[in-house]
Amino acid sequence: MTIQWFPGHMAKARREVTEKLKLVDIIFELVDARIPISSRNPMMDQIVQQKPRLVLLNKEDMADPELTKAWIAYFEERGIKAISLNAQEGNGLHAIVKAAKEILKPKWDRMKAKGMNPRAIRAMIIGIPNVGKSTLINRLAKKNIAKTGNTPGVTKAQQWIKVGKELELLDTPGILWPKFEDQEVGYKLAVTGAIKDTIINLQDISVYALRYLEKNYPKVLKERYGLDEIPSDLVQLFDHIGMKRGSIRPGGEVDYDKTAELIIRDVRSVKLGRLTFDHPKDTNQ
Ligand code: G4P
């Protein structure tokens, strides 16, 4: 799904999220474990304000495990509980309920002290497109989503999905826009597939990926493309990869567009291993 974000759409998305916020006790902020900062909405803190929050680093199966640990520590140092998961496989789901209970314990204790019966925690998922919101909702719902609202004249009410006895989740996630202002963030969103039909040139994205790999994962780059040394000259690097992988035009020249596509596909399909493109040491947020 590709959404074109214009100021009107952003305002509407923000309004919708703000409305739903009133219904829940806690926000599950879903981010991509490969780009935990670049896949966050730039106005998240402002929009969510004081609402308790759990950061979920999804797609952990594609991210560098060491850096995922470092990111969890990063969020915790800032007072935000974070856990990693793989929504596609369903790993890490139990930890979500456990963490939500922990975060809300003070509030629940206060309710108990006032003599109120404990009720299920109400939560909603928020994130930018393609971080895995629907996948996670379907996983948590175990396909038990109640169907309503498709009859003409019936307004679609908010539906709650019961996740065990202790959690109720809004069936529709809050969708917010990614950051656009920063060009590097744009490259990271494109290379990980968060933006698919991208306006950024494919060759530019692949060059970004190669330079990032050269700096952060040189061994992986060398092994995948059979390089003894990584040539500093980009054309040489492309020629080598193109030749090696058979991206060649009928005349025998390397097809640079195809080679770029191949590199991006390799990154997105984990052929280059589990990679993370945001590093805690590079962020001052
Ligand atoms: P959204 O609602 O936030 O927009 O995201 P959605 O659930 O549609 O997920 C986007 C893509 O990410 C889906 O792939 C989904 O299968 C994949 N995905 C979600 N969670 C995980 C995860 O933990 N690990 C991995 N590896 N993939 C995950 P898709 O529809 O096939 O699209 P794509 O594969 O072409 O990107």
Side-chain angles (χ1 to χ4, degrees), residues 58-59 61-62 86-88 130-135 196:
N58 190 35
K59 308 195 186 186
D61 54 306
M62 303 174 95
N86 172 351
Q88 213 171 38
N130 272 317
V131 280
K133 297 180 296 300
S134 318
T135 309
K196 278 190 193 138

Side-chain angles (χ1 to χ4, degrees), residues 5 9 13 39 54 79-81 90 95 104 108 110 113 116 126-127 154 161 180 231 233 239 249 262 269-270:
W5 294 98
H9 296 137
S39 60
L54 171 63
I80 301 173
K81 172 93 182 144
L104 291 172
W108 256 239
R110 280 199 302 276
M116 292 155 94
I126 301 186
V154 177
I161 296 161
F180 299 112
D233 182 75
D239 280 343
R249 290 182 194 283
L262 184 147
S269 59
V270 204

Side-chain angles (χ1 to χ4, degrees), residues 64 67 212-213 215-221 274-276:
D64 182 330
L67 285 180
Y212 188 87
L213 289 168
K215 189 165 166 228
N216 297 282
Y217 298 98
K219 199 162 157 254
V220 167
L221 183 59
R274 297 168 68 175
L275 308 172
T276 293

Side-chain angles (χ1 to χ4, degrees), residues 179-180 182-191 195-206 208 264 268:
K179 288 179 216 181
F180 299 112
D182 184 323
Q183 196 186 26
E184 193 171 357
V185 170
Y187 283 134
K188 291 179 184 193
L189 290 166
V191 82
I195 315 176
K196 278 190 193 138
D197 304 322
T198 173
I199 43 165
I200 310 173
N201 176 292
L202 279 187
Q203 284 190 24
D204 287 349
I205 303 167
S206 64
Y208 175 80
I264 296 165
R268 289 186 187 165

Side-chain angles (χ1 to χ4, degrees), residues 143-161:
K143 300 191 180 70
N144 288 331
I145 306 176
K147 294 213 178 7
T148 55
N150 286 333
T151 324
V154 177
T155 316
K156 191 176 188 305
Q158 293 294 344
Q159 287 291 314
W160 295 95
I161 296 161

